[in-house]
Amino acid sequence: MAACSYGCGIDANDHAFLTMGSVDTSQDHHVQVKRAQTKGNCGEKRVNAHVRRIRQVLNDFQKHLVDQNPRFTCNETLGACNRMRHRNVAAVLLISLAAASMWITIASALPPLETGISFPAGTFVIPMDEKQAQRILVFGFVHALVRDPNPIVLFRVIEPPNVTLSTNMTASPAAFYGGPFLVYPSDSAKVTQVKNNPDFKYVTVGKLTTQHTLNNIFRVSVPTKILVVKGEPPWGRTDTTLDTMKIPYTLITHGNLTANPSIIFNYTMIVIDCNGWNGHIPTQIADDIRSHVQAGNEVIFTDRAIWDLNSTFPGYVTVSGVQPTDRISNAYAYNPPRKYDLTKYGASADRLDTEYPSQYYNLGSYANEIKVMTESQGIAVSSVPSGRVNDVRILSDSKNFGASGNEYAILAFYFEYGGGIVEGLAFHPQQQTTSVIGTNGYYAVYQFYGNKFVHGVPPGEFELEANPTSRTVYQGDSTTYTITVRSFSGFNLPVTLGVTGLPPGATAVFSPQSPQPPASGTAQSTLTVTVPKSAPIGNYALTITGTDTSSPPIQKQVIVTLNVLTILPDFSVCVSPNSLTINASESKTAIVTVTSSGGFNQNVTLNVYVLNGTQRTGLPAHVTATFTPPAPQPPAGGTADSIMRITVGADAVNDTYRLLIVGSSGTLERDTTTAPCSLQFFTLKIEKPIPPGIPWLTLLLIILAALAGVILGLLAYALSSRRGPTGPSGLKYVVPANAQRMRCPTCGNLIAVDAVYCPFCRRRRGTPVATGVVVVAAPPVVAYARRRVIPERRAIWGFVLAMIGGILILINSVALLSPTFWGAPTGWSNVFFWLGGSSGIGQPIAVLIGLISGLTVIAGGIMMVMRRGPIGAIITFPFAALSFIIGGGFIVGGILGIVAGILGMLRR
């Protein structure tokens, strides 16, 4: 089960627990913490919490209880209050305050935890557990480091889990508890300055002995600016606790705040000490507090001031009323904080997630069991409304409250409001002394209180971040870092970047040189470092500096590491262009360049694959690739080119393929996705262009040719039907000029008297008679006797073969319409190559030629059987030959058509 990076405390069975192990002397009596991990998503919880806060703001303004009256007035409890002033209860307030802060989820006022931060050897370490000699003053020491003059940035390691560090404080790496602080070596002057202050002379500060890269880092750049509104009478004394820790603050009265309510906007933490206004907080002050908290700041109400909390932020808790007597109650401090549930208490309670305010350390097996001092007439919280169970975080509670000591009470709690935090503490901090509540409660108070008071809302400034923090580069090569400028509190100025500490001869380029983040956002720049071949090998610490344009300018730094190694013989493979679009039956080329590095000068064998995800496969069907030369050899430090020719067959499938070009030499293998051609895949797009339609001129010519063939056939038939002017003998004869003539009784033409047949109508004249004989003086007449029509022979075999051939040609032409016949698998357009391809006649024209040829051959055969053999042959022969353009009726049809034409000429 993976643990949530924010430390959610709910396991898969919805049980979160914190059990303290037995004292272990081998671990210096460290508290052994066992935390349940979670399947949940802390980020999702935060989103839901922000939604709840928006609803809360709307509801609270509607329910604002400006007239709520406390059950007891100050006059009724004056005696008890006077007794309170003489008791030191500082510890319990701090426990509750820190517990409230301990479980604040990420709000707009709190920067998020960071991961992957590197700290070099020599980084200062400020322990927060038993290794720290001043466990109270250490919070004042940290506060001093982040405030003027010359404030610095601290980094706190948030736990659990606890962090193991190698320092000069222990002989071997040791676990550090309670959230240690780290300070970069470059800020040593500030550390020395604060350490020289007599107040912090004995604060323990160690150093890392090796570099560490750590997660769950809370960056502290600004101290909390605290405003304490003291009670009237001044029963709550948060100011004495702050004095003990040496943390500065401003103390004002009710009158000061009433006269100038806007003063709260100058501070990030407001403390309303007991007894507050007893629930009658002025409307203007309540409105300003709500606005200030919603903007990301915090407010704390102590003891009887919880009535003012309930008036300003109604509906979150149920106030129990006054405590009848002074009582030292057994209580439980939750780390992480718990949800309200009367059926669970102590270690078994359901927990929420943690952040930097939850850091806690105490010795012993029962470190979370504390005692809390509460006074008579003080108040607590008895319960949480059901609608707020997931909003209110309980930090400390007790089952020994009330007059009989058997009632349940919530002594410390907090909830989110807008972007800020509202906290309630049912006790006074100055009363929690070791003599009254013991060591656990005493130290817990100061740890929790100190956790809250060493941070603040950052002013308008920025921070620099680098990712990664370490790079390795070979001589003659380059590498990059991503530099992030992070804005805080409205900063939006350009930041000019620079770098020092480069290897000799190395160059650095920022892109852009001056990134400008939006308010509360980030801007990035890429730092490219190029190392010459002559650069000395070794590790280099590069200091990256950012300077803004304000006056005086703000300057920030971040340190990264550059490891320069000796370059090894190697090569890279690039291709140009990195994409080709190729039509079917075509080929194109690209240039593959092999570049030598580190003195490499061997042959590199090139191959190309289709990349499906991470799997390499062969090229698509009907696609081939060749390299010329197949194994280029670059000179040392130079390049060698190879021409890659990709050929796409006519039957290749239209698609787009991602190809990977790989070069190998011995055990080295590089491809076009490795530097310097990173992610350079080769894209092959195969297209089969749509065959163009038949041009109108071509179509017109084909139609005219078909019509010409029909007309020619009809004309031939008509001419073959005419009868010649010859007689029965078919001989020419001459009628003498002065011969006796007579007229034919049938047609009336003049014929010779002795003619048996009329040469004109071919009728038999019958018996010659003398009547009607005419003697004409005229020139001789040439007459012709008609030839007797003899029926021609039918070309039967020519007809049969012509019909078979024509049908085969028609079937061939229709088959061309089938994609599987035209293309794969039959590949007819490849066999007769002039049909397909970009220069072929195309499918439509081929089909039309086949139809005309087949029909014409059939027509010629019909003419042969109608005793027009020669004419049919003239038509059949050429169109049978023409059919070979489309394959000649599977070749057989064309041959049969030609033979039919020959037989037609022979009338066979």
Side-chain angles (χ1 to χ4, degrees):
M1 188 187 311
C4 175
S5 61
Y6 291 96
C8 295
I10 304 174
D11 64 12
N13 298 314
D14 201 28
H15 293 292
F17 54 90
L18 181 64
T19 59
M20 311 309 296
S22 60
V23 176
D24 183 357
T25 56
S26 67
Q27 295 294 330
D28 299 324
H29 302 288
H30 292 161
V31 179
Q32 306 303 308
V33 179
K34 182 179 181 182
R35 296 189 64 254
Q37 296 178 334
T38 179
K39 288 183 179 178
N41 186 308
C42 295
E44 182 178 348
K45 296 179 182 179
R46 287 177 172 77
V47 173
N48 294 335
H50 286 300
V51 173
R52 291 194 298 270
R53 286 201 298 268
I54 294 172
R55 293 173 178 168
Q56 151 209 324
V57 172
L58 298 176
N59 292 336
D60 288 352
F61 275 99
Q62 297 174 356
K63 300 177 181 179
H64 189 205
L65 305 178
V66 296
D67 295 323
Q68 180 180 1
N69 294 317
R71 293 177 60 185
F72 295 93
T73 65
C74 184
N75 290 334
E76 295 173 317
T77 60
L78 184 57
C81 293
N82 286 333
R83 290 195 301 274
M84 293 181 196
R85 289 180 297 173
H86 302 292
R87 301 191 183 177
N88 186 1
V89 271
V92 176
L93 173 60
L94 295 180
I95 291 175
S96 305
L97 174 60
S101 65
M102 182 167 60
W103 283 103
I104 298 173
T105 56
I106 293 179
S108 60
L110 302 176
L113 298 182
E114 301 176 58
T115 60
I117 305 296
S118 292
F119 299 92
T123 295
F124 295 99
V125 179
I126 306 170
M128 302 301 289
D129 52 15
E130 85 288 343
K131 304 176 190 66
Q132 179 55 254
Q134 296 290 329
R135 293 178 62 189
I136 306 301
L137 285 173
V138 67
F139 290 102
F141 177 78
V142 169
H143 197 278
L145 289 175
V146 294
R147 68 174 185 260
D148 290 329
N150 305 316
I152 62 174
V153 176
L154 284 74
F155 303 86
R156 193 171 192 184
V157 184
I158 303 305
E159 56 89 26
N162 300 311
V163 62
T164 299
L165 302 175
S166 298
T167 69
N168 59 0
M169 290 179 282
T170 58
S172 59
F176 281 70
Y177 299 83
F181 288 88
L182 286 84
V183 182
Y184 276 131
S186 57
D187 294 321
S188 59
K190 179 68 175 184
V191 174
T192 301
Q193 172 196 335
V194 178
K195 195 78 167 59
N196 289 336
N197 186 323
D199 291 333
F200 307 121
K201 180 178 180 180
Y202 298 106
V203 173
T204 303
V205 179
K207 290 185 178 180
L208 292 179
T209 56
T210 61
Q211 177 173 311
H212 288 67
T213 299
L214 305 175
N215 297 323
N216 296 333
I217 301 298
F218 177 73
R219 190 183 296 246
V220 182
S221 58
V222 178
T224 303
K225 194 172 183 181
I226 306 166
L227 176 68
V228 178
V229 183
K230 68 179 181 179
E232 295 178 2
W235 298 324
R237 295 298 305 274
T238 301
D239 54 321
T240 61
T241 303
L242 292 170
D243 289 337
T244 302
M245 291 190 294
K246 305 299 181 183
I247 294 178
Y249 60 93
T250 299
L251 183 66
I252 65 172
T253 65
H254 287 188
N256 300 142
L257 186 57
T258 302
N260 182 21
S262 63
I263 191 174
I264 67 172
F265 295 106
N266 298 326
Y267 297 86
T268 60
M269 171 70 75
I270 313 299
V271 180
I272 309 296
D273 259 337
C274 179
N275 77 27
W277 283 271
N278 286 302
H280 295 283
I281 184 171
T283 301
Q284 182 61 52
I285 294 175
D287 291 343
D288 288 345
I289 288 176
R290 275 193 301 270
S291 298
H292 199 43
V293 173
Q294 188 175 7
N297 299 280
E298 301 178 48
V299 62
I300 299 173
F301 299 86
T302 66
D303 201 2
R304 292 171 64 89
I306 291 178
W307 271 320
D308 297 318
L309 179 154
N310 212 30
S311 298
T312 308
F313 306 94
Y316 282 85
V317 296
T318 302
V319 178
S320 64
V322 297
Q323 167 83 348
T325 61
D326 294 352
R327 178 173 294 280
I328 298 175
S329 301
N330 292 325
Y332 198 94
Y334 295 95
N335 178 22
R338 66 165 291 186
K339 292 182 179 182
Y340 173 73
D341 185 352
L342 284 179
T343 65
K344 298 178 181 179
Y345 179 79
S348 65
D350 292 338
R351 306 304 180 86
L352 299 168
D353 52 340
T354 186
E355 286 186 347
Y356 80 91
S358 66
Q359 302 308 283
Y360 176 85
Y361 175 80
N362 258 326
L363 293 173
S365 302
Y366 305 97
N368 290 77
E369 296 181 10
I370 63 175
K371 294 183 182 296
V372 177
M373 166 66 187
T374 57
E375 285 209 65
S376 64
Q377 308 307 314
I379 66 170
V381 171
S382 61
S383 63
V384 176
S386 59
R388 296 298 187 184
V389 168
N390 292 321
D391 297 327
V392 176
R393 273 72 165 165
I394 299 173
L395 303 166
S396 180
D397 60 3
S398 174
K399 299 174 72 173
N400 303 123
F401 204 71
S404 303
N406 60 359
E407 297 176 13
Y408 175 81
I410 299 172
L411 304 178
F413 63 91
Y414 86 94
F415 54 84
E416 296 177 279
Y417 187 87
I421 304 296
V422 178
E423 302 174 49
L425 308 173
F427 43 77
H428 300 157
Q430 76 276 8
Q431 292 178 316
Q432 317 305 311
T433 63
T434 55
S435 61
V436 175
I437 63 171
T439 303
N440 273 13
Y442 174 76
Y443 277 114
V445 167
Y446 282 98
Q447 287 181 80
F448 293 155
Y449 215 21
N451 287 337
K452 290 294 297 160
F453 284 86
V454 295
H455 80 94
V457 179
E461 62 173 47
F462 68 93
E463 290 293 339
L464 292 183
E465 302 170 5
N467 183 39
T469 57
S470 180
R471 282 287 200 190
T472 297
V473 65
Y474 290 99
Q475 294 168 317
D477 208 344
S478 62
T479 189
T480 60
Y481 301 84
T482 299
I483 309 303
T484 300
V485 180
R486 187 177 298 277
S487 163
F488 293 107
S489 299
F491 178 89
N492 62 350
L493 299 176
V495 177
T496 301
L497 300 174
V499 59
T500 58
L502 293 168
T507 60
V509 176
F510 290 95
S511 179
Q513 180 74 35
S514 300
Q516 183 173 1
S520 301
T522 61
Q524 292 185 333
S525 176
T526 299
L527 168 61
T528 302
V529 178
T530 303
V531 178
K533 295 180 180 179
S534 60
I537 63 173
N539 290 323
Y540 296 85
L542 309 184
T543 301
I544 300 168
T545 303
T547 306
D548 75 347
T549 57
S550 62
S551 182
I554 300 174
Q555 189 174 81
K556 300 291 181 178
Q557 292 181 341
V558 64
I559 298 175
V560 298
T561 301
L562 181 67
N563 184 23
V564 179
L565 300 179
T566 300
I567 190 169
L568 299 175
D570 204 348
F571 66 91
S572 62
V573 179
C574 299
V575 61
S576 179
N578 60 4
S579 66
L580 287 176
T581 298
I582 307 179
N583 294 331
S585 303
E586 291 185 352
S587 65
K588 289 186 179 180
T589 62
I591 303 299
V592 179
T593 301
V594 179
T595 302
S596 163
S597 60
F600 179 87
N601 63 350
Q602 303 300 311
N603 290 97
V604 176
T605 302
L606 299 175
N607 288 286
V608 61
Y609 304 94
V610 173
L611 198 61
N612 293 319
T614 59
Q615 299 296 319
R616 299 179 183 178
T617 61
L619 292 175
H622 309 290
V623 178
T624 59
T626 59
F627 293 92
T628 307
Q633 182 179 9
T639 63
D641 291 340
S642 177
I643 299 175
M644 178 180 67
R645 178 175 294 277
I646 297 179
T647 302
V648 177
D651 300 322
V653 178
N654 284 8
D655 207 343
T656 299
Y657 302 92
R658 189 170 63 166
L659 305 185
L660 183 67
I661 301 169
V662 179
S664 58
S665 179
T667 59
L668 287 178
E669 182 178 278
R670 299 291 181 263
D671 55 54
T672 50
T673 65
T674 54
C677 304
S678 298
L679 300 179
Q680 189 182 26
F681 294 103
F682 186 88
T683 302
L684 172 63
K685 185 176 182 181
I686 298 176
E687 291 184 345
K688 284 186 178 181
I690 299 174
I694 302 175
W696 68 269
L697 182 59
T698 302
L699 182 60
L700 179 60
L701 291 175
I702 292 174
I703 294 173
L704 291 177
L707 291 175
V710 173
I711 293 171
L712 181 62
L714 294 175
L715 181 60
Y717 179 79
L719 292 176
S720 67
S721 299
R722 294 191 62 184
R723 297 172 178 174
T726 58
S729 62
L731 299 177
K732 179 173 67 174
Y733 63 93
V734 178
V735 179
N738 295 320
Q740 291 183 336
R741 297 184 182 184
M742 61 176 299
R743 294 187 182 275
C744 175
T746 301
C747 62
N749 290 314
L750 293 175
I751 62 174
V753 174
D754 58 351
V756 178
Y757 290 93
C758 176
F760 299 103
C761 65
R762 298 183 63 196
R763 296 279 185 175
R764 187 176 181 85
R765 188 173 64 82
T767 304
V769 292
T771 57
V773 177
V774 179
V775 177
V776 180
V781 177
V782 178
Y784 294 87
R786 287 190 179 183
R787 183 185 309 156
R788 185 167 55 91
V789 177
I790 301 173
E792 296 183 1
R793 296 180 59 184
R794 298 176 185 269
I796 300 299
W797 283 109
F799 165 74
V800 172
L801 295 182
M803 291 299 294
I804 295 173
I807 291 173
L808 288 176
I809 295 170
L810 289 177
I811 294 174
N812 190 164
S813 63
V814 173
L816 296 177
L817 298 174
S818 172
T820 58
F821 183 79
W822 178 270
T826 305
W828 197 257
S829 61
N830 291 335
V831 176
F832 298 89
F833 58 87
W834 53 83
L835 296 177
S838 59
S839 59
I841 64 175
Q843 194 175 32
I845 296 177
V847 171
L848 189 58
I849 291 174
L851 292 175
I852 293 174
S853 298
L855 292 173
T856 305
V857 169
I858 291 174
I862 293 172
M863 295 183 73
M864 293 179 195
V865 81
M866 295 176 66
R867 297 187 178 90
R868 299 295 186 266
I871 301 301
I874 293 173
I875 295 175
T876 300
F877 192 93
F879 281 94
L882 180 67
S883 70
F884 281 100
I885 294 178
I886 65 149
F890 311 107
I891 301 177
V892 175
I895 295 174
L896 292 178
I898 293 175
V899 173
I902 295 173
L903 292 175
M905 293 294 293
L906 298 175
R907 297 182 178 89
R908 298 289 184 184

